[in-house]
């Protein structure tokens, strides 16, 4: 077996399809987000504006977060020193879990190193706790949810995206006595649409199912205290397990679930992804706790975020661009071809100092390749004007190239 040739073939296939991923080397500037420095491959530098970051609210630069992290770093050092079970649980981890339980009005919360791990570990563990469990999963659920469900050894049913009738058909076809769980998201990050949370909870009640929601793209940004769309809609008490992240709106790192004390205790006790993973550094936990605490009362920042998203969508629609708008903060512009998506991304970066990463298959279906913009409260009128002018100029160039290729 020529393993090197096998690797060459696999990588070349991505190049041929226009899906090879290029990592852009940027240096965030403290206090200057969304501006950063791009380090080119030749070693030269160029200032850029980041338009695809997940630090949705700019909390990664917030003084309260930085102060908390500095204090914890000085007090404890760099790392946690172990897994949560073996020397890796500190007062900072416990404080963060208490903040998260309070945020979601649940009895308990359980901290993971990422929301991906939280989804994977929890969903892959649940059939151990409920033998015969059937998980009903929205087809557009995040890869971490899909992976956890895929390898949990239990039964699964996939329902069409936000299709309540299809879900009902699947529920009706199964044994009424079997344990069940419905897994879905509050905001689907690629299109920015919302899950029908109340209707899903109604079906769960009717068929005796648990509910599992991924609020990763909503926590910090929706609801009167930033607990997510379920809080905004007054539905948190109807959700059994809430998954969230500390790496997007909260601007730090980590993931978690919030649930009943017994559910969190069972996942803590049975999930390998929790048991055998070194815990977050105390400084990270301290910064995340400070961010969660701050955003519980900073409605102004949430309002500014939504305002900037509405303005950007209105401006891009004014150019006639094929924009998806479901009313969330996600701003996807559909290009529909991986080569041209990458071309647009490259030209925005090199010619205009605007950094937005192309989104291609398998993250989105073929033919729906896109640029996904993520405005924040610190993307002001100047940054928006520069982006709109660049897109206006480059979109026509991209259209001409598409016409030439199809001729």
């Amino acid at each position: 077996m020529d393993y090197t040739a096998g690797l060459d073939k696999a990588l070349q296939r991505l190049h041929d399809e226009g899906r090879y991923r290029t990592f852009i080397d940027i240096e965030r500037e403290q206090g200057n987000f969304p501006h950063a420095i791009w380090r080119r491959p030749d070693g030269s530098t160029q200032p850029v504006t980041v338009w695809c970051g997940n630090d949705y609210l700019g909390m990664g630069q917030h003084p309260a977060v930085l102060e908390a992290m500095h204090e914890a770093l000085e007090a404890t050092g760099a790392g946690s020193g172990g897994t949560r079970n073996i020397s890796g649980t500190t007062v900072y981890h416990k404080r963060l879990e208490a903040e998260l339980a309070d945020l979601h009005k649940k009895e308990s919360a359980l901290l993971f190193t990422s929301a991906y791990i939280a989804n994977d570990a929890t969903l892959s563990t649940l059939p151990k706790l409920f033998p015969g469990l059937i998980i009903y999963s929205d087809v557009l659920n995040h890869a971490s949810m899909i992976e956890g469900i895929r390898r949990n050894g239990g039964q699964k049913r996939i329902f069409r995206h936000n299709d309540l009738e299809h879900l009902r058909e699947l529920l009706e076809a199964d044994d009424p006595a079997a344990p069940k769980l419905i897994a879905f998201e509050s905001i689907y990050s690629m299109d920015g649409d919302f899950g029908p949370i109340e209707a899903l909870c109604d079906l769960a009640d009717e068929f005796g199912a648990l509910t599992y929601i991924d609020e990763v793209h909503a926590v910090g940004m929706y609801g009167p205290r930033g607990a997510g769309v379920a809080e905004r809609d007054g539905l948190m008490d109807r959700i059994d397990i809430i998954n969230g992240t500390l790496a997007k709106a909260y601007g730090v790192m980590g993931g978690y679930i919030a649930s009943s004390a017994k559910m969190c205790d069972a996942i803590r006790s049975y999930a390998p992804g929790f048991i055998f993973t070194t815990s977050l550094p105390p400084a990270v936990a301290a910064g995340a706790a400070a961010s969660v605490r701050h955003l519980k009362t900073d409605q102004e920042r949430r309002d500014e975020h939504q305002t900037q998203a509405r303005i950007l969508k209105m401006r891009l629609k004014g150019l006639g661009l094929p924009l998806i708008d479901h009313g969330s903060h996600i701003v996807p512009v559909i290009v529909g071809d991986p080569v041209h998506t990458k071309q647009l991304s490259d030209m925005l970066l090199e010619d205009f100092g605007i950094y937005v990463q192309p989104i291609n298959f398998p993250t989105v279906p073929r033919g729906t390749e896109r640029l996904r913009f993520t405005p924040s409260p610190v993307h002001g009128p100047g940054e928006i004007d520069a982006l709109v002018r660049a897109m206006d100029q480059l979109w026509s160039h991209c259209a001409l190239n598409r016409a030439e290729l199809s001729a």
Side-chain angles (χ1 to χ4, degrees):
M1 173 67 186
D2 186 343
Y3 295 104
T4 299
L7 295 174
D8 289 339
K9 183 177 179 180
L11 292 170
Q12 188 59 49
R13 185 163 61 248
L14 295 177
H15 283 287
D16 292 343
E17 296 176 6
R19 295 194 295 117
Y20 182 77
R21 298 171 190 240
T22 301
F23 293 167
I24 305 301
D25 184 1
I26 64 169
E27 295 181 13
R28 287 164 60 98
E29 297 180 303
Q30 182 177 324
N32 199 30
F33 183 77
H35 301 288
I37 298 297
W38 170 36
R39 291 199 171 273
R40 295 172 176 269
D42 64 5
S44 63
T45 61
Q46 176 181 332
V48 298
T49 302
V50 178
W51 272 102
C52 59
N54 281 335
D55 188 357
Y56 287 133
L57 300 180
M59 290 299 293
Q61 308 284 314
H62 196 281
V65 175
L66 300 182
E67 181 181 357
M69 295 186 74
H70 280 297
E71 289 180 358
L73 183 65
E74 291 298 322
T76 67
S80 69
T83 65
R84 288 292 298 276
N85 184 50
I86 305 176
S87 81
T89 294
T90 70
V91 65
Y92 300 99
H93 297 87
K94 299 301 291 183
R95 286 175 184 167
L96 175 53
E97 288 175 334
E99 286 285 356
L100 294 168
D102 172 75
L103 175 69
H104 293 289
K105 301 300 182 185
K106 297 296 185 186
E107 293 178 340
S108 188
L110 192 63
L111 182 62
F112 294 79
T113 51
S114 73
Y116 188 107
I117 298 299
N119 271 333
D120 186 8
T122 302
L123 289 167
S124 64
T125 298
L126 286 170
K128 301 176 185 176
L129 309 177
F130 307 105
L133 178 70
I134 305 171
I135 296 182
Y136 302 81
S137 175
D138 189 291
V139 69
L140 292 188
N141 277 342
H142 189 264
S144 58
M145 301 173 75
I146 294 171
E147 180 63 16
I149 295 168
R150 183 189 65 80
R151 65 182 189 82
N152 67 17
Q155 299 183 70
K156 64 179 183 292
R157 311 283 186 261
I158 310 302
F159 61 93
R160 292 185 292 269
H161 180 51
N162 283 349
D163 190 331
L164 299 169
E165 288 305 312
H166 187 215
L167 175 58
R168 172 178 288 279
E169 291 172 10
L170 295 173
L171 287 162
E172 289 176 339
D174 283 319
D175 182 355
K180 301 175 179 66
L181 179 141
I182 302 173
F184 52 94
E185 299 187 36
S186 62
I187 298 178
Y188 292 84
S189 63
M190 289 300 111
D191 285 351
D193 57 329
F194 294 86
I197 301 174
E198 184 173 16
L200 289 165
C201 290
D202 289 343
L203 281 175
D205 290 345
E206 181 179 346
F207 288 91
L210 295 170
T211 49
Y212 185 107
I213 190 171
D214 180 310
E215 288 261 32
V216 160
H217 289 274
V219 289
M221 295 171 283
Y222 294 81
R225 297 202 309 157
V229 178
E231 182 195 32
R232 183 199 69 180
D233 296 347
L235 298 168
M236 276 200 303
D237 61 324
R238 301 186 65 187
I239 305 294
D240 294 294
I241 304 174
I242 298 173
N243 169 276
T245 185
L246 302 163
K248 291 183 171 60
Y250 294 117
V252 193
M253 179 185 176
Y256 63 89
I257 60 167
S259 188
S260 68
K262 287 185 178 180
M263 181 68 77
C264 288
D265 191 21
I267 297 299
R268 178 190 70 86
S269 301
Y270 279 87
F274 178 85
I275 296 169
F276 298 106
T277 300
T278 299
S279 63
L280 288 173
V284 172
S291 187
V292 172
R293 191 179 310 118
H294 175 87
L295 284 176
K296 287 177 181 177
T297 59
D298 195 348
Q299 185 60 40
E300 182 180 357
R301 188 176 291 256
R302 280 190 282 277
D303 291 341
E304 289 175 354
H305 181 223
Q306 292 295 324
T307 296
Q308 297 305 83
R310 284 194 296 271
I311 291 172
L312 179 60
K313 285 186 282 190
M314 178 184 66
R315 297 284 303 276
L316 293 177
K317 286 178 183 178
L319 299 179
L321 301 189
L323 172 72
I324 299 176
D325 183 7
H326 290 287
S328 72
H329 61 283
I330 304 292
V331 186
V333 175
I334 304 300
V335 182
D337 175 87
V339 173
H340 287 102
T341 306
K342 180 65 165 62
Q343 182 185 47
L344 269 172
S345 173
D346 289 346
M347 289 189 295
L348 283 167
L349 181 66
E350 294 169 3
D351 299 339
F352 297 91
I354 291 171
Y355 172 42
V356 56
Q357 195 74 0
I359 308 292
N360 294 323
F361 178 84
T363 308
V364 295
R366 296 181 192 274
T368 69
E369 292 83 2
R370 66 198 63 186
L371 298 176
R372 190 187 65 147
F373 299 97
T374 54
S376 76
V378 290
H379 285 91
E383 286 83 7
I384 292 177
D385 284 344
L387 173 60
V388 171
R389 285 195 300 268
M391 286 296 289
D392 189 21
Q393 180 176 332
L394 293 180
W395 192 261
S396 58
H397 175 83
C398 182
L400 287 172
N401 282 352
R402 282 200 296 267
E404 290 172 2
L405 286 175
S406 61

